[in-house]
Amino acid sequence: MGLDILSNVRADGTSLLGHSMKSLSHFPVRCSLAVALCALLLAGCERAVFNPAGDIARQQRDLIVISTGLMLLIIVPVMVLIVVFAWRYRKGKGGTYDPNFDHSTTLELAIWSAPLLIIIALGALTWSSTHLLDPFRPLDRKATALEGKAQNSQALRVQVVSLDWKWLFIYPDLGIATVNDLVLPIDREVRFDITSSNMMNTFYAPTMAGMIYAMPGMQSTLHAALDRPVDSFGLSGNYSGAGFSGMRFRIRGVTDQQFAGWVNGARASGRSLDTATYLRLVKPSERVPSMLFSVGDKDLFRRIVERCVEPGKPCMGDVMAKDMGHGGGHGTMPPGRGSAPPHGDKPEGAIFKSPEEKGTGANVTKPTDPRKAPGVTKPGDDANRNMT
């Protein structure tokens, strides 16, 4: 009878059993295609975070791996025990049901001690890495690949400016600048001074170091180094508008000889980065190709930070200094809460002034003549008790 059911013929004359077997025959093929598609998609993923070219990026990668491993110590056993408990205590099978069970010291210790130990380990790891990976902290040569290099070599300074939607890199000590092209010598410490033209962004060089915010009117700092030749990429990690997706730059780690040749090529590029050129660059543009400049204005970065690149616009430092020196009376800003009085002497509080000195106004009671005030010469007069 079972064979009769399985061999029932459909209206179109095909067997149900045959149709099912035919579908199953295609299952391995479909699985293989799905696996191949997933592998193809994963092949396009960038693995820059797990392929570091510098000691800072390497420590950050290890931090991610260790933290993930510590958290999996809880996640994996919980997922396994869910399946074990569901199978062991399934209906009609498994362990003994005890309706009076309400507490187990062993079970409580197992449930709470493991997460507590992991939280303590993560807390210690976070505290130590926060100090060791402080971006403002210069690199420790003994703890990095820079040990044994020239101890008197100064860090290479690179000034980073986030524009819409491109990156400007200024090498102030070398007199050159680039757009969307960051070239660095390997085995040399680099100090990045980071700011933004008008919108908050994130400077992210995954093969070299972590993400550092670039904010208008402020300057951030990052110390890092490359310890091997690399040709990678950097990007903005903070959404900043229409051109955000194309806001990427090239990172190249080269030898000292190659770096010197590249610097000479930038100086001979025929283009100079001055105020007029910067004001053209600051205009929004997308997917800008790399450009090389010689630097004609060595004070440009400071004026970008203080937001006074445009001719005639006062710098924030000058405005604040004038405000502090003159109490805001002769500056462009109103006096602050803690500003000095304009005439140099601290004004006397109203509580110490006589009624005549206070004067009158909408919120000041008109002073009265003490000789005409009722009750002042009669201590027992009811007017002395009038609190209204």
Side-chain angles (χ1 to χ4, degrees), residues 240-371:
S240 58
F244 160 75
S245 59
M247 196 172 173
R248 297 165 70 95
F249 59 91
R250 187 180 180 188
I251 302 175
R252 288 184 286 165
V254 298
T255 63
D256 291 340
Q257 183 177 1
Q258 292 172 326
F259 183 72
W262 176 80
V263 170
N264 292 332
R267 289 172 178 168
S269 62
R271 286 181 289 197
S272 177
L273 180 63
D274 50 19
T275 301
T277 304
Y278 174 79
L279 292 178
R280 289 194 299 268
L281 284 174
V282 81
K283 295 179 180 179
S285 55
E286 300 181 27
R287 304 187 184 279
V288 178
S290 62
M291 292 183 283
L292 299 177
F293 301 91
S294 61
V295 177
D297 185 354
K298 296 184 178 180
D299 196 40
L300 179 61
F301 183 76
R302 181 194 66 84
R303 292 192 290 119
I304 294 173
V305 174
E306 298 198 16
R307 305 179 66 79
C308 56
V309 179
E310 295 84 352
K313 186 174 182 179
C315 295
M316 293 191 306
D318 297 336
V319 172
M320 288 187 288
K322 187 177 293 185
D323 176 60
M324 293 180 65
H326 300 285
H330 300 86
T332 59
M333 296 177 63
R337 181 175 297 178
S339 300
H343 301 295
D345 296 328
K346 185 175 181 180
E348 190 177 30
I351 193 173
F352 299 106
K353 294 181 178 180
S354 64
E356 290 78 7
E357 291 177 316
K358 294 180 183 179
T360 59
N363 59 341
V364 179
T365 303
K366 184 177 181 179
T368 58
D369 187 352
R371 294 172 297 177

Side-chain angles (χ1 to χ4, degrees), residues 194-212:
I194 306 168
T195 190
S196 178
S197 59
N198 68 341
M199 188 174 294
M200 185 173 179
N201 257 300
T202 304
F203 175 74
Y204 185 26
T207 57
M208 188 176 185
M211 293 186 287
I212 302 296

